[in-house]
Structure formats: C-alpha cells, structure tokens
Amino acid sequence: MQFSGQILKMATQNAKPIQYFLNLSDDLINMNQLIGKNIRIKHTGYECVNCGKDEKVYRMGFCKKCFFESPYASDTIIRPELSTAHLGIGERDLEIEKSIQLQPHIVYLAYTGDVKVGVTRDTQIPTRWIDQGATFALPIAITENRYEAGMIEVAMKEHLADKTNWKKMLEDDFEDDLDLADFREKIKNYFPENFKNFYTKDHTMVRLDYPYEAPEKITSFTLDKMPEFEGVLNGIKGQYLSFEGGSFLNVRAHEGYVVELTV
Ligand SMILES: [Zn+2]
C-alpha cells in the first residue's frame, strides 16, 4: 500500500495503549497496526502548513516567510509570558491572538524523564502530554488566559525543567510510584504572589500508556539527512516513531514535509 502527502503531527486517541494516526494530507493511517511491519518513507517535497507553498520548511512546519509573519508562529506560541492580547495589544494579528490567548490555560507538571512544567490550552489536554511523551501528568493551575499561565511557568522554571530531553523521554525509565501530587505540594510556594489564586488541587494524576518499549540504544535521524528510509516499526512514544535497531523519527519535526509512505 502506498500513501503520499504532507506530514502533520500524529493525531492520537488516549486508549490503553494510546492510538496513533499518521496524518498525511488528511489521510489518517493507524500506526499501531503497522507495528512489526516494514515501512518505507521517501521525502519528495514541502508544503508549508500556512501558505501551502513548496518551500523548504524553516521551523514548525512553516516556510521562512510564514514563520516570521504568521500569528500562529509568533513569539507567544513559544513564550506564553510575552502574551499581550489581554491588554488589547497585538503582536502580528490581534484578533487571532485573542482567539488563542484569551481562553483557559493549564499549567501542568509532566514526567518525561524528568519532572517538567508546561503550559497549554485546556482543550489540548491530554493531547499535549501525549505529544511530549509524558508518562505522568498533573494540572497544577487553571488560568483565564495565556499570559497568566506563562507567568506561573516562568516562576516554576527556576525550580523545574521546562524542556523535554528527548533521549531521556525515549529511555522510558520511570518509578512506578512517582507521585506528581507531592511535587504540586512542594512548588506551591513558588507561585508568584499575584497568581496564587490560580493554584488548584482539583485534579488527579494521569498516567499515559504508549505502544512502546525502549531499545538498547537510541539515535534519531531526519529526512534531510536520510531522504529515503526503510525499517521495521517497533513502537511509538510522544511524536517519535521507533524503528528496529534504535533509529527514531520525530514526526512533529517533519511537519510540512511531503512524503511517500509504502507499507
Ligand atoms: Zn509559507
């Protein structure tokens, strides 16, 4: 069977184990069913996620022009604390920024090899956690907008990691009795005074179950370095496809790439 199209990050369903669907120009291919099978991927071009042009992807699926112009790639996407839509101040397009920023956001703890802090819109739970490959996750604050969540995250970052170390995440090493509620309790005092009212204990820890077992050694490849790849799919964690021999492809890092997939 052959499929072809533009890669977007894999769609997921939180089941036991999590179900993954490779999104190739809206063809959703269930990847769990392909575990144990040989897959060939060939890079044939680009399709910017914003303008659709066949321009080399610069970052996050955007061509260079769109990355620097689209409100969906603005600084506040990466750094929520810079958000200004709540003040009526726009960065690239105020109306779109309002729609992104002025809605409930969650500050959460997630275990991805280390305990880290993160921010996401509440509609992105648990998708965001699955995309990061978190084994455990727990909301610690619910805010009214992106700015407030960003400010809490900035304060927490002084005490906790905020980036995922992909290798550690893929090593899949964790204590079964890890309890993020203990961390929630400990870091309560680090909340900035003005934002303490957003702290919440209303949630219980979520555990996520991936179709994945860590291999002995972990290496990653990109379609830039290897435009044609063939291998047996061994499992999936986060947005990484794990192939026999310990080679990993980060699907999310290839958004906007056009490929042919042969199963
Ligand atoms: Zn573009």
Side-chain angles (χ1 to χ4, degrees):
M1 262 191 305
Q2 198 176 66
F3 307 89
S4 69
Q6 174 211 44
I7 294 180
L8 290 179
K9 76 182 177 88
M10 287 183 280
T12 57
Q13 268 172 7
N14 188 15
K16 293 202 179 295
I18 292 161
Q19 297 294 304
Y20 281 95
F21 302 88
L22 187 65
N23 188 345
L24 280 190
S25 294
D26 297 331
D27 266 338
L28 291 178
I29 303 152
N30 182 310
M31 297 305 283
N32 298 60
Q33 289 177 359
L34 300 183
I35 292 172
K37 300 213 164 87
N38 192 69
I39 293 175
R40 196 160 65 224
I41 302 169
K42 185 179 172 190
H43 179 207
T44 58
Y46 299 99
E47 190 180 323
C48 168
V49 296
N50 191 54
C51 71
K53 283 188 190 149
D54 184 4
E55 295 273 344
K56 189 170 168 33
V57 164
Y58 181 70
R59 276 182 76 183
M60 290 161 49
F62 294 88
C63 71
K64 194 165 186 179
K65 183 173 189 290
C66 290
F67 182 77
F68 288 105
E69 290 179 4
S70 165
Y72 295 102
S74 72
D75 286 344
T76 54
I77 301 292
I78 309 282
R79 299 184 57 196
E81 72 275 16
L82 301 177
S83 299
T84 53
H86 62 291
L87 303 172
I89 300 170
E91 186 189 351
R92 294 182 179 180
D93 183 322
L94 181 57
E95 286 315 306
I96 290 173
E97 284 150 14
K98 275 185 175 170
S99 75
I100 296 170
Q101 296 174 22
L102 304 188
Q103 55 172 306
H105 277 64
I106 303 270
V107 185
Y108 60 85
L109 298 175
Y111 181 81
T112 56
D114 287 307
V115 177
K116 58 163 268 179
V117 61
V119 163
T120 192
R121 281 170 282 163
D122 74 345
T123 54
Q124 290 302 106
I125 297 296
T127 307
R128 180 81 182 131
W129 299 335
I130 295 171
D131 289 349
Q132 292 176 335
T135 310
F136 306 100
L138 177 69
I140 57 168
I142 301 172
T143 65
E144 284 159 17
N145 63 46
R146 189 166 182 81
Y147 169 75
E148 294 153 350
M151 291 303 284
I152 295 169
E153 185 190 31
V154 165
M156 296 299 138
K157 278 198 296 205
E158 292 180 22
H159 309 276
L160 290 168
D162 66 314
K163 302 263 188 307
T164 297
N165 176 327
W166 66 272
K167 260 193 180 167
K168 261 186 152 171
M169 182 276 282
L170 291 171
E171 281 166 9
D172 206 31
D173 198 8
F174 57 88
E175 303 290 332
D176 248 325
D177 59 354
L178 182 92
D179 189 359
L180 291 175
D182 289 344
F183 280 83
R184 176 175 62 190
E185 199 60 41
K186 277 183 212 150
I187 63 174
K188 185 180 181 181
N189 293 332
Y190 304 140
F191 268 61
E193 204 52 47
N194 300 349
F195 299 95
K196 279 211 159 109
N197 55 321
F198 297 117
Y199 177 81
T200 177
K201 286 171 88 167
D202 291 350
H203 297 264
T204 51
M205 187 173 78
V206 172
R207 180 167 180 166
L208 298 152
D209 178 8
Y210 299 89
Y212 180 72
E213 267 179 55
E216 296 252 311
K217 84 177 191 351
I218 293 168
T219 57
S220 75
F221 68 95
T222 64
L223 294 177
D224 298 317
K225 291 197 184 122
M226 212 183 285
E228 266 193 89
F229 174 84
E230 186 168 351
V232 174
L233 183 67
N234 261 358
I236 313 168
K237 191 179 183 205
Q239 284 284 330
Y240 283 82
L241 298 178
S242 168
F243 292 96
E244 205 170 58
S247 293
F248 285 82
L249 180 69
N250 180 354
V251 173
R252 189 165 204 180
H254 289 82
E255 284 192 314
Y257 284 59
V258 176
V259 297
E260 275 172 19
L261 179 82
T262 312
V263 181

Coordinates of all heavy atoms in Angstrom, one line a residue, residues 3 13 21 24 27 40 49 125 135 148 163 183 186 192 197 210 214:
F3 N 0.9 5.6 0.4 CA 0.2 6.8 0.7 C 1.2 7.9 0.4 O 2.4 7.7 0.4 CB -0.1 6.9 2.2 CG -0.9 5.7 2.7 CD1 -0.2 4.6 3.2 CD2 -2.3 5.7 2.7 CE1 -0.9 3.5 3.7 CE2 -3.0 4.6 3.2 CZ -2.3 3.5 3.7
Q13 N -5.4 9.1 20.1 CA -6.5 8.8 21.0 C -6.0 8.2 22.3 O -5.2 7.2 22.2 CB -7.4 7.8 20.3 CG -8.5 8.4 19.5 CD -9.2 7.3 18.7 OE1 -9.0 6.1 18.9 NE2 -10.1 7.7 17.8
F21 N -2.3 8.0 14.8 CA -2.7 8.1 13.4 C -1.8 9.1 12.7 O -1.7 10.3 13.0 CB -4.1 8.6 13.3 CG -5.1 7.7 14.0 CD1 -5.3 7.9 15.4 CD2 -5.7 6.6 13.4 CE1 -6.2 7.1 16.1 CE2 -6.5 5.8 14.1 CZ -6.8 6.0 15.4
L24 N -1.4 12.3 6.8 CA -0.8 12.6 5.5 C -1.8 13.3 4.7 O -2.7 12.6 4.1 CB -0.3 11.4 4.8 CG 1.1 10.7 5.3 CD1 1.5 9.7 4.3 CD2 2.1 11.8 5.4
D27 N -5.3 12.0 5.2 CA -5.4 10.6 5.3 C -4.9 10.2 6.6 O -3.7 10.4 6.9 CB -4.5 9.9 4.2 CG -5.3 9.5 2.9 OD1 -6.5 9.5 3.0 OD2 -4.6 9.4 1.9
R40 N 8.5 2.1 4.4 CA 9.4 2.9 3.6 C 8.9 4.4 3.6 O 7.7 4.6 3.3 CB 9.6 2.3 2.2 CG 10.8 2.9 1.5 CD 11.3 2.0 0.4 NE 10.3 1.9 -0.6 CZ 9.9 0.9 -1.3 NH1 10.4 -0.3 -1.0 NH2 9.0 0.9 -2.2
V49 N 2.8 24.7 6.2 CA 1.5 24.5 6.8 C 0.6 25.7 6.8 O -0.6 25.7 7.1 CB 1.6 24.0 8.3 CG1 2.3 22.7 8.4 CG2 2.4 25.1 9.1
I125 N -5.6 19.1 26.4 CA -5.3 18.0 27.4 C -6.2 16.8 27.0 O -7.3 17.0 26.8 CB -5.7 18.5 28.8 CG1 -4.8 19.7 29.2 CG2 -5.6 17.4 29.8 CD1 -3.4 19.4 29.3
T135 N 4.8 10.3 30.7 CA 4.3 9.1 31.3 C 3.2 9.4 32.4 O 2.2 8.7 32.5 CB 5.4 8.3 32.0 OG1 6.5 8.1 31.1 CG2 4.9 6.9 32.4
E148 N -1.3 34.7 32.1 CA -1.2 34.3 33.5 C -0.5 32.9 33.6 O 0.3 32.7 34.5 CB -2.6 34.2 34.1 CG -3.4 35.5 34.2 CD -4.9 35.3 34.1 OE1 -5.4 34.2 33.8 OE2 -5.6 36.4 34.3
K163 N 11.9 22.0 29.5 CA 12.1 21.4 28.2 C 12.2 19.8 28.4 O 12.6 19.4 29.4 CB 13.4 21.8 27.5 CG 13.5 23.3 27.4 CD 13.2 23.7 26.0 CE 13.4 25.2 25.7 NZ 12.8 26.1 26.7
F183 N 5.0 16.8 44.2 CA 5.6 18.0 43.6 C 4.7 19.2 43.6 O 5.2 20.3 43.9 CB 6.0 17.7 42.2 CG 7.3 16.9 42.0 CD1 7.2 15.5 42.2 CD2 8.5 17.5 41.8 CE1 8.4 14.7 42.0 CE2 9.7 16.7 41.7 CZ 9.6 15.4 41.8
K186 N 4.9 20.7 46.9 CA 6.2 21.4 47.2 C 6.4 22.7 46.5 O 7.0 23.6 47.0 CB 7.4 20.5 46.7 CG 7.8 19.4 47.7 CD 9.0 18.6 47.2 CE 8.9 17.2 47.7 NZ 9.5 16.2 46.8
P192 N 4.0 32.9 41.9 CA 4.1 34.3 42.2 C 2.9 34.8 42.9 O 1.8 34.3 42.7 CB 4.1 34.9 40.8 CG 4.2 33.8 39.8 CD 3.9 32.5 40.5
N197 N -4.0 32.6 43.3 CA -5.4 32.2 43.2 C -5.7 31.2 42.1 O -6.8 30.6 42.1 CB -6.3 33.4 43.1 CG -5.9 34.3 41.9 OD1 -4.7 34.5 41.6 ND2 -6.9 34.8 41.3
Y210 N 2.0 4.0 26.4 CA 2.4 4.1 25.0 C 2.6 2.7 24.4 O 3.0 1.8 25.1 CB 3.7 4.9 24.8 CG 3.5 6.3 25.3 CD1 3.7 6.7 26.6 CD2 3.0 7.3 24.4 CE1 3.5 8.0 27.1 CE2 2.8 8.6 24.8 CZ 3.0 8.9 26.2 OH 2.8 10.2 26.6
A214 N 11.5 0.7 25.2 CA 12.8 1.3 24.8 C 13.8 0.3 24.3 O 14.0 -0.8 24.9 CB 13.4 2.0 26.1

